[in-house]
Amino acid sequence: MLNYSLLVIYFAVLIYIGIKCRKSTDSVAGFVLGGRGVGAWLTAFAYGTSYFSAVVFVGYAGQFGWRYGISATWAGIGNAVIGSLLAWVILGRRTRLLTQHLDSATMPEFFGRRFDSKALKIVASVIIFVFLVPYTASLYNGLSRLFGMAFGIDYAYCIVLMSVLTAIYVILGGYLATAVNDFIQGIIMLFGLTAVIAAIIMSKGGLMAAMDSLARVSDPAVSTTPGIFTSFLGPDPLGLLFVVILTSLGTWGLPQMVQKFYAIKNEDAIRKGTVISTLFAFVIAGGCYFLGGFGRIFADTVGTKVGPNGAVLPAGGFDAIIPAMLSNLGPVLIALTVVLVLSASMSTLSSLVITSSSTLTSDFIKGTIVKKMPEKREVLIIRIFVVVFIIISAAIALVQYKSRVTFIAQLMGVSWGALAGSFLAPFLYSLYWKGTTKAACWVSFIFGSGLMIYDIFALNGLAPMPKFFNPIVLGALAMLLGFIIVPVVSFFTKAPARQFTDALFACYDKPREVAAKNDLG
């Protein structure tokens, strides 16, 4: 009964906020960016809750915690330092200034106007459409076992309920409603995760007793070193490094993450948001991966099997680890956990559908299929596509759940690498370097998305794949090699007109009057 009561209250609050924020959605900028007037706390929490969903809490924490032990916490630290702190410092201010100067509300629109190329805008929107939809569907997967454990209901009902409620408050209140709800969901995540970690660790006799138990775990197929799962770098430091790169640096090129900087209010909000977002990531990401690191001491609850190489694996798959760790908690904590994971997933889902629908409408349909589109009609079409994207993602999740189609799951796994591999390097260079060329963007788009599409074929045995390579490694390589590809291609291709780039970068040089305490002069 407690589970249902908490959910009803939670859903009522979400819908109420959507209704209260509906006045801010009359324009495209209002619906998609909240009028570019969103403050530090809302933006920081919107960034953090879009970053961490059920995919991280249930999927990644369980999988990487099992593989790397306590050293998986490095992934959470990387998410906080690289994925949050450095992202805000390096991207935040320049993204806000240049996107406002270009009057761009989406990443494809930014590329189109930054390089004066309608084709770049269209292709970028296609890449986002292709890879964001399956990524959106993956958000539902982490909820299936938790809802089954807490409510004993079919996962399909969870998908439908989550889809309907997200659609309601996004359609009503747009980005502002999403940001306000993200703030509430972020508070739930902070307190909920802290309580869950404390309860699970205490169930094993406290931190030192849990560490001692983990130090006694052995898996000769992974490592013969005693206590390897409690060591500083774990059994596979190189593999862990690629996880850190993919899950941390990847946020710099994800459209639903970068778009948060488009909407931030002012300089003060950027300074405060940097601190808030970083601390949020330390608690949420660091806590999730730290908790997952103890997964092996719950092997008796999870159940184990022997993998192809003799390694010990969870019998129900990696997604079964975190739910098994939670299964012996009391009803209050289980209810809190369900709301926690639901909050994380709904906040990310709302961010993804706004990004997808606005991109398809403003960057693909408007000006291409429909030459002239009044702003009110554009907002209406964005709302319609919010519904369409939620229906499509829910349908994909249901198909995978009912038929266990592995191809869909693999596509979800490579979407992060494809998006960040395509966009990260050209976007970053475009903010700082006038010499970035249109051709370099094209090569980065083709290389990043092409490499991950190849990975899909390789995973299905349709193309050769070196032993060391996997979606995580290839995704990280797609991002890192982009930093080389963009300047090299730019050096050998036609540079943009100097007058054009000077006019663009002039927005950075406009004089501002500031207080002496903020500028020594």
Side-chain angles (χ1 to χ4, degrees), residues 87-306:
W88 277 73
V89 170
I90 295 174
L91 299 179
R93 181 181 293 101
R94 282 182 171 257
T95 298
R96 176 65 172 80
L97 288 171
L98 191 54
T99 56
Q100 183 177 20
H101 180 71
L102 293 172
D103 193 25
S104 59
T106 66
M107 185 173 278
E109 192 172 31
F110 169 83
F111 283 121
R113 294 184 177 177
R114 170 66 174 81
F115 296 99
D116 192 22
S117 173
K118 185 177 180 180
L120 263 182
K121 182 179 77 169
I122 293 173
V123 170
S125 65
V126 170
I127 293 173
I128 290 172
F129 173 79
V130 169
F131 289 102
L132 267 193
V133 170
Y135 178 57
T136 304
S138 70
L139 297 176
Y140 298 99
N141 294 343
L143 295 169
S144 59
R145 297 178 189 272
L146 288 178
F147 262 76
M149 176 187 67
F151 298 99
I153 60 175
D154 191 279
Y155 170 47
Y157 295 112
C158 165
I159 294 176
V160 173
L161 181 64
M162 180 176 167
S163 301
V164 171
L165 289 166
T166 302
I168 289 173
Y169 80 76
V170 171
I171 290 170
L172 287 174
Y175 179 81
L176 185 59
T178 298
V180 175
N181 279 322
D182 286 348
F183 178 75
I184 296 172
Q185 291 159 342
I187 296 295
I188 294 172
M189 291 167 67
L190 286 172
F191 285 99
L193 184 62
T194 303
V196 167
I197 292 174
I200 290 177
I201 297 300
M202 291 306 296
S203 72
K204 292 296 182 180
L207 179 60
M208 297 311 297
M211 292 288 285
D212 181 68
S213 298
L214 186 61
R216 298 174 188 276
V217 172
S218 63
D219 189 347
V222 176
S223 175
T224 56
T225 304
I228 190 64
F229 294 109
T230 56
S231 64
F232 186 68
L233 295 176
D236 183 11
L238 184 60
L240 180 59
L241 175 62
F242 281 109
V243 171
V244 173
I245 293 172
L246 180 71
T247 61
S248 303
L249 191 60
T251 60
W252 296 28
L254 296 180
Q256 75 274 16
M257 301 297 295
V258 174
Q259 198 164 322
K260 301 295 184 291
F261 300 131
Y262 291 29
I264 199 163
K265 188 176 183 179
N266 52 33
E267 176 70 23
D268 184 58
I270 291 177
R271 286 196 296 269
K272 292 178 180 177
T274 302
V275 177
I276 297 166
S277 178
T278 303
L279 293 176
F280 183 88
F282 264 117
V283 175
I284 299 299
C288 284
Y289 288 111
F290 176 74
L291 177 63
F294 290 98
R296 286 182 180 260
I297 65 175
F298 290 83
D300 54 339
T301 306
V302 178
T304 59
K305 63 181 181 182
V306 179

Side-chain angles (χ1 to χ4, degrees), residues 448-489:
S449 56
L451 184 64
M452 301 314 293
I453 290 172
Y454 173 85
D455 184 49
I456 295 173
F457 285 98
L459 289 171
N460 288 275
L462 301 176
M465 175 70 78
K467 184 178 179 181
F468 179 67
F469 285 178
N470 56 53
I472 293 172
V473 173
L474 287 179
L477 288 177
M479 298 175 206
L480 294 176
L481 291 176
F483 289 118
I484 300 173
I485 289 171
V486 170
V488 169
V489 175

